């Protein structure tokens, strides 16, 4: 693969900022989804398997998201 020279440090910094901002948004979203899944499970008294029937991901993914949200 051919390497391209970066023509502008300013352009590189702008892209880095955009990428970092998107990355932080993604992390915050994952944590928020984990918190919401945990709250739904506790409020409804439902298992991950029951929630899986209505969520856009598997029970194992739901449990994984909750673990991420609970991690300090």
């Amino acid at each position: 693969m051919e390497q391209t020279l970066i023509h502008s440090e300013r352009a590189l910094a702008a892209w880095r900022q955009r990428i970092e901002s998107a990355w932080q948004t993604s992390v915050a979203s994952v944590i928020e989804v984990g918190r919401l899944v945990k709250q739904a499970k506790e409020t409804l008294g439902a298992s991950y398997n029951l929630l899986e029937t209505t969520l856009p991901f598997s029970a194992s993914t739901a449990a994984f998201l909750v673990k991420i949200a609970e991690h300090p």
Side-chain angles (χ1 to χ4, degrees):
M1 185 153 100
E2 190 175 315
Q3 190 174 14
T4 305
L5 294 175
I6 297 171
H7 297 287
S8 165
E9 290 297 319
R10 179 181 277 177
L12 177 60
W15 278 107
R16 182 182 60 74
Q17 183 178 13
R18 289 177 67 187
I19 291 167
E20 285 179 353
S21 177
W23 174 253
Q24 292 303 315
T25 301
S26 296
V27 171
S29 294
V30 166
I31 292 169
E32 179 64 13
V33 169
R35 287 182 183 147
L36 291 170
V37 169
K38 181 179 179 181
Q39 289 174 354
K41 184 178 182 295
E42 291 171 352
T43 302
L44 300 171
S47 67
Y48 291 126
N49 289 330
L50 179 60
L51 290 175
E52 180 180 39
T53 62
T54 59
L55 295 176
F57 41 77
S58 69
S60 60
T61 299
F64 185 65
L65 291 168
V66 169
K67 282 188 181 243
I68 290 170
E70 290 176 336
H71 191 275

